[in-house]
Amino acid sequence: MMMISTQMMMVFKELFSKVKKMNRKKLMMICLFVLCSFSGVAQNWAKKFLQQANNQTIYLSTTQQVIFSNLKSSYQNLVLDSLNEEKIVSSFVDEFVGELSYYGVNVILLPQQDNLKTLKDNEYLVHIAQIEVEEIDVVDSIKNVYNFKDDTYGEVDTIAFYKQINGLSLNIWFDFATNDKQEHKIFYISDIVTDDLQGYVEKNNPDTDTVFVSYSITPINPNDAYTLAFITANKSSRYLFDFLMNRFVWLKTNGEDKHYYSITEDKEIQKLDSPEEFLEIL
């Protein structure tokens, strides 16, 4: 259901005062036209932000340290000890800058965080404040059932085989600021990569509880951690662009537009009722 703001109510009151002699059908058509026109204008602001993204500047600084944490029950580092701290930082920062630049935003790297920098309306300070890699236990499962007797799949039982595997979680915190101190925010994003568990469950006789499981595990390695940093940076930059675009629309429409606008990897703008993916605000 579309919410009608105070501003829109004023528009309708003015229309009602001018069209008292009109029939109801004609009046409803006018009201619908006004609502659709407002929605179209709001979406045009999102498109304008994308078209003029080169007017937006992000001053970016980053920590050079990575926090490594072992949260496994065995406390055995299977991957952490092999990770290169500098490579994780560079994998993330390079893609983060590259993707924002792809959308048109100017990104200027600062040697260190500068909270005293004077910003214009279209300038932002973003500091990658903390990067953490956690090695964790993850429970995965194989749920496809094969009945050898009658050569069917998934029709005999709903048996699942569970296996504890290894995983890496990458957690990033961003410090975001504008020229308005009230807008200071901390953004957060997290993503994981795990061992690849593949296999099948086989039951030779549907009348017994005997189950055979065949599986293989491809362990994660340091390259998976660097790839995870790249993928998380790609998502983060897109979500940050979404935030800036919706902030722009909100300012231009005085908060009247209740939709959420999201950029795709092909630079297409999607209009949503609510965000599907976004940077979490702490």
Side-chain angles (χ1 to χ4, degrees):
M1 180 179 292
M2 181 174 289
M3 297 180 61
I4 302 178
S5 65
T6 303
Q7 181 180 347
M8 294 300 298
M9 287 297 295
M10 293 177 63
V11 173
F12 286 135
K13 285 181 180 179
E14 185 177 349
L15 281 172
F16 276 114
S17 65
K18 293 182 179 180
V19 294
K20 287 181 179 179
K21 296 182 180 180
M22 288 184 176
N23 61 49
R24 183 176 296 178
K25 183 178 179 181
K26 189 175 293 185
L27 180 59
M28 289 301 295
M29 290 179 63
I30 292 176
C31 292
L32 182 61
F33 174 77
V34 172
L35 287 172
C36 292
S37 297
F38 178 79
S39 178
V41 169
Q43 188 166 1
N44 285 339
W45 283 119
K47 293 179 179 178
K48 187 172 183 179
F49 181 85
L50 175 60
Q51 294 167 354
Q52 300 180 359
N54 58 353
N55 292 332
Q56 310 294 316
T57 299
I58 291 177
Y59 293 97
L60 179 68
S61 58
T62 181
T63 177
Q64 297 299 323
Q65 297 181 331
V66 178
I67 299 173
F68 295 106
S69 302
N70 185 344
L71 302 183
K72 292 178 61 64
S73 56
S74 65
Y75 297 107
Q76 179 184 6
N77 291 341
L78 301 180
V79 183
L80 287 187
D81 292 338
S82 302
L83 296 182
N84 183 293
E85 182 177 52
E86 182 179 348
K87 196 166 183 179
I88 289 175
V89 174
S90 62
S91 295
F92 185 89
V93 174
D94 290 350
E95 174 60 12
F96 188 74
V97 173
E99 193 70 3
L100 283 170
S101 300
Y102 166 72
Y103 294 127
V105 178
N106 295 312
V107 182
I108 299 175
L109 285 171
L110 300 178
Q112 61 185 13
Q113 188 178 16
D114 185 1
N115 290 325
L116 300 178
K117 187 173 184 59
T118 302
L119 299 172
K120 300 177 182 178
D121 288 342
N122 59 338
E123 296 180 338
Y124 319 93
L125 276 176
V126 177
H127 178 59
I128 303 173
Q130 185 168 302
I131 301 174
E132 179 183 44
V133 178
E134 297 175 323
E135 191 158 0
I136 57 177
D137 292 325
V138 179
V139 177
D140 201 355
S141 64
I142 301 171
K143 296 182 179 179
N144 55 312
V145 178
Y146 172 61
N147 181 16
F148 182 80
K149 189 174 182 178
D150 57 13
D151 200 30
T152 58
Y153 287 87
E155 299 177 3
V156 180
D157 291 288
T158 56
I159 300 171
F161 169 73
Y162 296 93
K163 178 71 175 176
Q164 182 173 289
I165 59 176
N166 199 37
L168 289 176
S169 174
L170 177 65
N171 313 309
I172 310 289
W173 288 261
F174 303 88
D175 192 303
F176 174 85
T178 70
N179 58 1
D180 183 353
K181 292 183 180 180
Q182 300 298 319
E183 282 199 271
H184 180 258
K185 292 177 175 60
I186 301 295
F187 292 128
Y188 171 78
I189 190 171
S190 180
D191 207 349
I192 67 170
V193 62
T194 68
D195 296 341
D196 183 28
L197 175 65
Q198 296 289 336
Y200 60 89
V201 179
E202 177 180 299
K203 190 170 184 177
N204 286 344
N205 188 343
D207 300 322
T208 70
D209 293 329
T210 304
V211 175
F212 299 94
V213 180
S214 178
Y215 70 88
S216 63
I217 296 177
T218 303
I220 51 179
N221 59 59
N223 286 332
D224 293 314
Y226 308 138
T227 301
L228 178 62
F230 177 93
I231 293 173
T232 308
N234 184 282
K235 292 180 181 179
S236 301
S237 57
R238 187 153 31 95
Y239 300 162
L240 179 59
F241 187 91
D242 287 350
F243 172 81
L244 295 177
M245 178 166 57
N246 284 279
R247 176 183 179 273
F248 181 80
V249 173
W250 188 87
L251 291 172
K252 293 298 183 180
T253 63
N254 295 315
E256 302 292 348
D257 185 25
K258 306 303 180 183
H259 291 98
Y260 185 85
Y261 299 94
S262 179
I263 191 75
T264 69
E265 293 183 356
D266 297 325
K267 296 186 181 180
E268 296 292 331
I269 295 176
Q270 296 178 319
K271 184 173 73 172
L272 309 169
D273 291 331
S274 60
E276 297 175 352
E277 296 178 298
F278 54 92
L279 288 174
E280 184 178 348
I281 299 178
L282 300 181

